[in-house]
Amino acid sequence: MKPAPFDYLRAMTTQDALDALAQNGEDARVLAGGQSLMAVLNMRLAQPRMLVDISRTDELNAVRTDNEAGQLIVGAAATQGSVEWRASLRDEVPLLAMAFPHISHFQIRNRGTVCGSIAHADPSAELPLVLAALGGDVTLRSKKKKRVLKAEEFFQGS
Ligand SMILES: Cc1cc2nc3c(=O)[nH]c(=O)nc-3n(C[C@H](O)[C@H](O)[C@H](O)COP(=O)(O)OP(=O)(O)OC[C@H]3O[C@@H](n4cnc5c(N)ncnc54)[C@H](O)[C@@H]3O)c2cc1C
């Protein structure tokens, strides 16, 4: 099958993405790496009217450490590969470094994003489990507000 027709917006800034999501509400979906979403669209399990592609948004591709908080901060568009292939990852977050090789093969990790996996929240996926095990946070943003949830508050299924 092929996806139902949709409009496509390539967001070049975080603000572009937030504006499009605010304007289109439930009719819009974020497209990150597309590794899970495209299968869902092809099977028509979801039929959003607009896809907001965040993959080219520089700010959302950033990965950095906050040494004071002892946190690795991964932007919404950062690929799994861009985090896995950090030379310092094994020292920064050893469990994450150990988990990445178990996620399919590198072609998938080259496109799939860390946050897309967290948002998709497949119960068998490695990254939601690692986030929960490490007591990590998820930062949620909309045009109007920003809030931070602990992993166990973010994942609502069992
Ligand atoms: C062949 C294959 C094998 C795989 N094997 C594994 C595996 O072994 N282990 C594993 O854990 N995963 C596996 N995956 C899944 C892979 O890790 C995906 O990359 C990941 O689940 C989704 O990330 P993505 O960036 O591709 O998200 P997308 O497919 O773009 O999006 C997934 C969902 O999350 C939403 N979303 C994405 N980003 C955001 C955001 N910033 N804000 C709000 N919503 C957002 C989308 O709207 C969509 O609903 C596999 C995938 C494939 C195709």
Side-chain angles (χ1 to χ4, degrees), residues 20-81:
L21 292 168
Q23 261 169 25
N24 292 279
E26 294 288 312
D27 290 331
R29 277 286 184 99
V30 172
L31 173 65
Q35 298 303 299
S36 296
L37 182 59
M38 291 317 297
V40 169
L41 297 184
N42 283 340
M43 290 185 282
R44 300 202 175 192
L45 297 173
Q47 301 191 11
R49 288 223 310 268
M50 167 166 279
L51 292 187
V52 180
D53 181 352
I54 61 169
S55 62
R56 307 284 176 91
T57 308
D58 285 346
E59 185 192 351
L60 298 181
N61 269 285
V63 179
R64 64 185 174 84
T65 47
D66 177 341
N67 290 332
E68 220 166 272
Q71 288 183 329
L72 181 70
I73 299 171
V74 179
T79 63
Q80 295 164 14

Side-chain angles (χ1 to χ4, degrees), residues 3-158:
F6 55 80
D7 290 331
Y8 170 86
L9 175 85
R10 177 179 289 166
M12 299 310 290
T13 64
T14 309
Q15 197 58 50
D16 285 349
L18 294 176
D19 287 345
L21 292 168
Q23 261 169 25
N24 292 279
E26 294 288 312
D27 290 331
R29 277 286 184 99
V30 172
L31 173 65
Q35 298 303 299
S36 296
L37 182 59
M38 291 317 297
V40 169
L41 297 184
N42 283 340
M43 290 185 282
R44 300 202 175 192
L45 297 173
Q47 301 191 11
R49 288 223 310 268
M50 167 166 279
L51 292 187
V52 180
D53 181 352
I54 61 169
S55 62
R56 307 284 176 91
T57 308
D58 285 346
E59 185 192 351
L60 298 181
N61 269 285
V63 179
R64 64 185 174 84
T65 47
D66 177 341
N67 290 332
E68 220 166 272
Q71 288 183 329
L72 181 70
I73 299 171
V74 179
T79 63
Q80 295 164 14
S82 73
V83 179
E84 178 184 2
W85 299 319
R86 279 169 76 82
S88 47
L89 186 66
R90 221 158 259 285
D91 297 324
E92 290 163 346
V93 194
L95 183 62
L96 188 55
M98 289 163 72
F100 275 124
H102 295 281
I103 303 175
S104 192
H105 35 83
F106 78 86
Q107 290 91 340
I108 300 295
R109 306 197 297 275
N110 194 40
R111 293 302 300 243
T113 64
V114 170
C115 295
S117 178
I118 304 290
H120 192 62
D122 185 318
S124 67
E126 277 80 3
L127 297 177
L129 177 64
V130 168
L131 187 73
L134 294 175
D137 299 331
V138 179
T139 301
L140 302 175
R141 279 182 72 179
S142 71
K143 196 173 172 184
K144 287 194 185 144
K145 60 182 178 181
K146 174 173 168 175
R147 61 193 174 121
V148 181
L149 295 181
K150 298 303 292 177
E152 64 264 27
E153 299 171 298
F154 180 73
F155 299 119
Q156 298 198 334
S158 55

